[in-house]
Amino acid sequence: MPLLELVGRVVSNREMQKTAKVMVTRLMEHRVTNKLMKVRKIFLVHDEQSARMPGDIVRIQETRPLSKRKNFTIVEVIKEEERVVDPTSGKLMTRYTS
């Protein structure tokens, strides 16, 4: 059985070590009205180096269960968000960092 591969945007990486939240957006057709609608789902993804920051676009792949909710791992970084240093705090940020 082939492994599921999805593309999504990193939403958060702060709460957990070696884990990132990735939001995957898909277009699905509504069964009654037959209109296209956006469906979003957030996956917890294993990030071994903890190098991903909010805004990065990544490809994730299904893997064995790593924890209760973590069943995916980052395979490839498609696009990195531009990183800047905040002058007041000195932290590395992206425009998606709050």
Side-chain angles (χ1 to χ4, degrees):
M1 186 166 127
L3 297 175
L4 181 64
E5 281 199 358
L6 303 168
V7 175
R9 181 182 299 274
V10 176
V11 178
S12 174
N13 66 346
R14 329 188 150 162
E15 294 90 19
M16 302 152 279
Q17 297 174 354
K18 296 186 178 184
T19 303
K21 283 185 184 177
V22 175
M23 181 170 57
V24 175
T25 305
R26 301 185 197 193
L27 284 176
M28 296 187 76
E29 190 173 334
H30 192 277
R31 21 180 210 144
V32 176
T33 62
N34 294 330
K35 291 184 178 181
L36 289 178
M37 57 184 191
K38 283 186 182 179
V39 178
R40 296 181 182 99
K41 184 167 181 183
I42 293 183
F43 294 94
L44 291 182
V45 177
H46 184 67
D47 180 16
E48 185 62 39
Q49 290 86 24
S50 296
R52 303 287 52 95
M53 294 191 72
D56 292 349
I57 305 219
V58 294
R59 182 180 315 279
I60 61 176
Q61 184 179 39
E62 191 175 23
T63 182
R64 65 178 178 83
L66 299 170
S67 67
K68 183 177 179 180
R69 291 184 54 210
K70 193 162 52 165
N71 297 323
F72 285 85
T73 185
I74 294 178
V75 176
E76 171 189 8
V77 179
I78 297 172
K79 180 180 175 225
E80 278 193 357
E81 186 64 31
E82 181 182 352
R83 282 135 169 79
V84 292
V85 177
D86 184 25
T88 56
S89 65
K91 292 183 181 179
L92 191 64
M93 300 178 70
T94 65
R95 78 181 169 143
Y96 288 94
T97 307
S98 55

